[in-house]
Amino acid sequence: MDPQAELRIANALAANKLKESAKRDKFNAKQLAVIERKKEKEGDEMAVTLKNIESREASEKELKARLEYAQEIRKERRQKIIDERAHKEQFYGTFGRSRNIFFCS
């Protein structure tokens, strides 16, 4: 084979290898950028998830406090009604007895 032809072929192969290497490097850089963006997105999603968890826990805590407060109010009302009935029963009993004395005699 002609030495000039071999030289042209070798130069063409070397240029082709450089082009392929450049393409491969460019592709790898794009892939690294995609991986980096994916990691950032996962980090952002994790932050959003943590915020949602914290807000949910805070709302559950607030709801629990309100329920406990409402339960305490119900207990107080119930006890107040029981106390008032007991107090009225004392007077109703004496009034009824004294009234029966007047009508029975």
Side-chain angles (χ1 to χ4, degrees):
M1 203 184 256
D2 187 22
Q4 288 181 346
E6 286 180 8
L7 185 61
R8 275 184 301 183
I9 292 172
N11 287 339
L13 285 173
N16 193 20
K17 282 183 182 180
L18 286 174
K19 285 181 186 178
E20 289 296 319
S21 176
K23 283 183 183 179
R24 193 176 309 112
D25 291 342
K26 187 177 179 181
F27 177 77
N28 289 337
K30 284 183 181 180
Q31 291 299 313
L32 289 175
V34 167
I35 291 171
E36 211 172 295
R37 283 194 306 266
K38 185 177 178 182
K39 285 181 181 179
E40 288 175 4
K41 186 176 179 182
E42 287 176 354
D44 293 343
E45 289 175 356
M46 183 63 79
V48 169
T49 304
L50 290 175
K51 285 181 183 178
N52 289 341
I53 289 171
E54 290 172 359
S55 65
R56 190 178 316 121
E57 287 176 352
S59 64
E60 287 176 358
K61 187 176 180 181
E62 182 181 343
L63 177 65
K64 187 177 178 182
R66 279 194 264 157
L67 288 174
E68 289 174 356
Y69 178 70
Q71 188 177 21
E72 198 63 37
I73 288 174
R74 283 193 301 269
K75 282 182 183 178
E76 289 174 5
R77 285 182 185 166
R78 184 172 183 262
Q79 190 60 43
K80 182 180 176 185
I81 290 170
I82 290 171
D83 292 342
E84 286 177 0
R85 284 184 184 170
H87 184 68
K88 287 180 181 179
E89 285 294 323
Q90 291 174 350
F91 293 110
Y92 288 150
T94 58
F95 178 75
R97 274 187 255 124
S98 64
R99 187 170 171 196
N100 287 336
I101 293 172
F102 293 123
F103 289 116
C104 293
S105 48

